[in-house]
Amino acid sequence: MWNPEVETLPRDRLQALQLERLRQTVQRQLEHVPPMGDRLRAAGVRDSRDITSLDDLKRLPFSHKTDLREHYPFGLFAVPRDQVVRIHASSGTRGKPTVVGYTRSDLGVWSEVMARALALAGVTPGMVVHNAYGYGLFTGGLGFHMGAELLGCMVVPISGGLSQRQVLILEDLGGQVLCSTPSYALNIAQTLEEQGIGLERLKLQVGLFGAEPWTEQLRDALEGSLGLKALNVYGLSEIVGPGVAGECIEVRNGAHIAEDHFLPEVIDPSTGEVLPPGQVGELVFTTLTKEALPMLRYRTGDISQIDITPCMCGRTSVRMARVRGRFDDMLIIRGVNLYPSEVERVLLGIPDVAPHYQLIVERPGAMDELTVLCEPSGSVATDGLTARIQHTLREATGLSMRIDLQSPGSVPRSEGKAVRVIDNRPH
Ligand code: DLL
């Protein structure tokens, strides 16, 4: 454990710390973020002393991505500009990106939670960390970089892309820890195979994968093709970046939330009502220590659930289940709700199918049509593979899909977050 004292804090002491820090976040917004301060006052919160228990969190208004967009770029910052030492931005598929800022202390917190996430995954000082998350405005590259340096690892800041050079460096520098999106890790695995580099020439032990939804089936595929233990890391720019939660190597069932810095809730997305632990809903986070961009009840759009049962690893934090997708990612095809990750789960369970896929949605007439681009795992498709894929997907999802089985290497590969859906329907 990176910080055993905090990571095993008894729940009552953790909750007392959360309450004290929640008050500070509320005070920060009241005093320093006019749009959010006004919103709090309208909800009847005039002073942080109005917050007397963690239950009072429910009284506070939600915040949304649109708040960041409306006050783009710096309108929700709670500190003078000269205290902001770093900016990142989330990619944002529509419109302007959301810009986030960090004070020096925020960077310290982020490094700390990332060092914890790496230690959770079994990474120890001195290990060689091959960091293939993109460096730049995306939080992946620099987030993992800072955490690995703090832990005392040797960081190889390779960033994403240029797969042939990527595998050369991976082999020559003896990378033991691979950090990348799961879809890019697949790309690396394929390049290794194409270059004839066998796993015995590599030193890989652990992979820390995140930034996009992925399934247990993809975990198996990555472990098999890269010869490592694959662990899930979750986070989002608006809250800090990667490091909000991470899986432990001991159990690998749910990601431990760094609850001394980020307070989680799960809500019913249509009513906003807080759901009890174990129920599936939208994840909402409140930052407890962020200075530059404090966030109260930020709606992530991510679907998950919280497990409060104690973990065998000894940490006392609650765990969040794998995010199966965002509400925005859910496709409604002829009345059936479908998450791309559901297609991944089914597809990867079918023998002879490679773990590369993309979904194309079209509306040629009155009805929506879904085409699944995929590839055989061998150099040629086995007999009846298309029909088998179509049948298995229909059985599992209730939807009839067109299967476009392409030649190996034809489905577009990702260098960062994979584009799983191309929606060509008229809007
Ligand atoms: O993706 C931060 C990150 C970088 C996390 C590297 C993990 C590893 P954003 O670009 O702001 O930040 O995107 C955040 O990505 O709301 C989720 O929808 C999705 N996401 C992040 N991690 C996971 C994960 C980074 N482990 C958005 N599983 C989030 C599923 C994830 N989805």
Side-chain angles (χ1 to χ4, degrees):
M1 268 184 226
W2 171 250
N3 190 341
E5 195 189 324
V6 175
E7 291 177 69
T8 62
L9 210 57
R11 294 289 311 169
D12 55 341
R13 283 182 51 206
L14 177 63
Q15 282 163 355
L17 181 69
Q18 287 177 323
L19 177 59
E20 181 194 320
R21 290 180 168 177
L22 172 62
R23 286 203 188 111
Q24 285 164 8
T25 299
V26 168
Q27 198 60 34
R28 216 170 261 145
Q29 285 210 343
L30 283 169
E31 284 176 19
H32 303 295
V33 191
M36 293 299 157
D38 291 347
R39 197 182 283 180
L40 279 169
R41 281 182 280 272
V45 181
R46 317 203 135 263
D47 192 285
S48 58
R49 279 168 298 190
D50 294 345
I51 309 293
T52 56
S53 80
L54 283 178
D55 227 31
D56 286 337
L57 187 63
K58 292 199 188 98
R59 291 172 44 207
L60 306 181
F62 290 115
S63 46
H64 304 83
K65 205 178 196 79
T66 45
D67 294 318
L68 284 154
R69 293 234 168 91
E70 239 167 70
H71 301 283
Y72 175 88
F74 305 133
L76 298 185
F77 284 12
V79 295
R81 286 268 293 282
D82 61 2
Q83 288 179 34
V84 178
V85 297
R86 175 88 68 75
I87 290 293
H88 280 283
S90 81
S91 39
T93 42
R94 281 166 237 125
K96 296 224 184 211
T98 38
V99 171
V100 300
Y102 305 78
T103 63
R104 201 166 293 287
S105 154
D106 292 336
L107 290 184
V109 168
W110 190 12
S111 308
E112 154 84 20
V113 293
M114 272 313 305
R116 282 189 211 171
L118 287 149
L120 270 154
V123 180
T124 50
M127 283 175 98
V128 180
V129 174
H130 182 98
N131 187 13
Y133 281 110
Y135 281 67
L137 285 175
F138 175 50
T139 51
L142 281 162
F144 276 84
H145 186 104
M146 292 186 306
E149 276 191 356
L150 181 62
L151 188 59
C153 299
M154 183 176 115
V155 188
V156 183
I158 182 108
S159 196
L162 302 173
S163 303
Q164 295 194 5
R165 199 172 57 121
Q166 191 78 237
V167 300
L168 179 108
I169 297 280
L170 186 62
E171 180 181 8
D172 291 354
L173 274 58
Q176 296 164 292
V177 183
L178 174 62
C179 304
S180 76
T181 59
S183 56
Y184 189 57
L186 275 178
N187 216 334
I188 293 179
Q190 185 187 339
T191 311
L192 286 167
E193 202 183 315
E194 285 164 4
Q195 305 279 306
I197 302 175
L199 294 182
E200 72 289 348
R201 281 166 56 184
L202 302 180
K203 302 225 160 54
L204 282 177
Q205 294 176 30
V206 187
L208 283 97
F209 304 123
E212 61 187 9
W214 57 303
T215 57
E216 285 301 312
Q217 287 68 21
L218 188 50
R219 179 176 348 235
D220 292 343
L222 288 169
E223 295 194 336
S225 57
L226 289 165
L228 44 67
K229 283 253 177 236
L231 288 107
N232 191 17
V233 176
Y234 170 85
L236 62 164
S237 322
E238 296 87 333
I239 296 304
V240 78
V244 172
E247 277 183 325
C248 59
I249 186 94
E250 294 91 339
V251 179
R252 299 203 300 166
N253 183 12
H256 287 272
I257 296 174
E259 276 186 281
D260 50 326
H261 296 291
F262 317 109
L263 190 56
E265 295 171 276
V266 172
I267 62 161
D268 176 329
S270 44
T271 63
E273 184 203 345
V274 177
L275 298 175
Q279 283 202 26
V280 176
E282 177 178 358
L283 267 178
V284 170
F285 281 104
T286 293
T287 65
L288 296 174
T289 48
K290 283 276 288 301
E291 292 180 344
L293 187 60
M295 278 288 172
L296 286 172
R297 307 194 84 197
Y298 183 75
R299 292 186 59 161
T300 64
D302 293 326
I303 304 154
S304 183
Q305 73 206 79
I306 284 185
D307 182 358
I308 58 166
T309 57
C311 185
M312 267 165 35
C313 75
R315 291 176 182 86
T316 48
S317 50
V318 297
R319 285 171 287 161
M320 56 176 272
R322 232 178 226 295
V323 170
R324 77 166 80 145
R326 302 174 52 77
F327 285 105
D328 330 351
D329 295 341
M330 190 180 78
L331 294 167
I332 305 179
I333 310 283
R334 302 191 293 272
V336 177
N337 298 353
L338 181 75
Y339 286 98
S341 58
E342 177 64 4
V343 176
E344 174 176 307
R345 186 183 69 74
V346 177
L347 209 55
L348 269 60
I350 305 173
D352 306 329
V353 180
H356 305 284
Y357 69 98
Q358 199 168 48
L359 309 183
I360 318 272
V361 195
E362 280 155 327
R363 189 176 298 155
M367 303 285 249
D368 291 342
E369 279 187 10
L370 178 61
T371 304
V372 181
L373 300 189
C374 50
E375 295 173 11
S377 53
S379 51
V380 284
T382 47
D383 271 355
L385 185 56
T386 303
R388 245 187 315 131
I389 297 172
Q390 192 169 35
H391 176 78
T392 316
L393 278 169
R394 196 181 44 233
E395 289 281 298
T397 64
L399 262 178
S400 191
M401 308 175 196
R402 209 171 72 81
I403 309 301
D404 185 352
L405 194 62
Q406 306 216 330
S407 53
S410 307
V411 175
R413 301 295 197 256
S414 96
E415 295 192 345
K417 291 181 192 249
V419 178
R420 293 300 189 194
V421 179
I422 301 200
D423 196 338
N424 291 330
R425 288 176 291 191
H427 287 293

